[in-house]
Amino acid sequence: LECLGAEVLPFPLKTDCCGASYGIPRKDVIVKLSGRILTLAKGLGADAVVAACPLCQMNLDLRQSQIDAGLNMPVPYFTQLLGWSLGVDEKTLGFDKVAMPLAPAFEAMRRRAVELERQEQEEAAKAAEKAAAKAGKKKAEAAPAGGEA
């Protein structure tokens, strides 16, 4: 995901189970396990939880209203993000099929990218000013005192 340009947060529950096949017989298990994953992701500032497992994607995406109505955490497949980064259109990728829309996550990522670019430009400008000042100081030190040649 980092190779695609995503910022991947350190996530201690990245291999924890969402409850998988307990979806039908034990909704309470799904609510507890999936809720733990989604709540931590939200608390860490994640814009989305990216899934590789179909059951995780289903439980984490579709059951959010059973867990906590305020989560609103998109849960795309990693292959959807791969396709999106390669320019595949959103309809083909099935973005319209997920319960939690991805647009807010993409907008947050775009805002962060713009902010990061602005910060990098500011840092480059400061470095250029510092270099110019240093060059000017060296030139002044190299010039003969009192204007004598």
Side-chain angles (χ1 to χ4, degrees):
L1 292 174
E2 288 175 340
C3 292
L4 302 176
E7 176 187 2
V8 178
L9 300 175
F11 191 65
L13 303 180
K14 65 184 171 190
T15 59
D16 281 23
C17 184
C18 70
S21 60
Y22 284 107
I24 302 296
R26 296 285 312 270
K27 187 176 98 175
D28 61 313
V29 172
I30 299 297
V31 169
K32 180 181 177 187
L33 297 176
S34 294
R36 195 169 150 237
I37 292 168
L38 291 167
T39 301
L40 179 61
K42 185 93 166 178
L44 292 173
D47 296 312
V49 172
V50 182
C53 169
L55 289 172
C56 287
Q57 195 283 330
M58 180 190 70
N59 285 327
L60 296 172
D61 189 43
L62 294 175
R63 296 190 180 268
Q64 288 187 41
S65 63
Q66 297 168 5
I67 297 165
D68 178 357
L71 284 169
N72 297 323
M73 178 70 65
V75 186
Y77 285 108
F78 78 94
T79 52
Q80 287 176 302
L81 294 185
L82 174 62
W84 183 73
S85 71
L86 294 172
V88 178
D89 70 278
E90 295 178 10
K91 179 96 171 136
T92 300
L93 293 169
F95 284 179
D96 58 334
K97 306 281 189 244
V98 295
M100 294 295 136
L102 291 162
F106 289 151
E107 180 57 28
M109 288 185 271
R110 188 195 64 74
R111 281 193 310 270
R112 270 198 303 285
V114 167
E115 178 60 22
L116 181 61
E117 185 176 337
R118 185 192 62 76
Q119 289 173 355
E120 289 172 350
Q121 288 173 349
E122 284 179 5
E123 289 173 11
K126 287 178 185 177
E129 286 176 15
K130 188 175 181 180
K134 187 175 182 179
K137 183 178 178 182
K138 282 186 179 183
K139 187 176 181 182
E141 289 173 353
E148 299 172 14

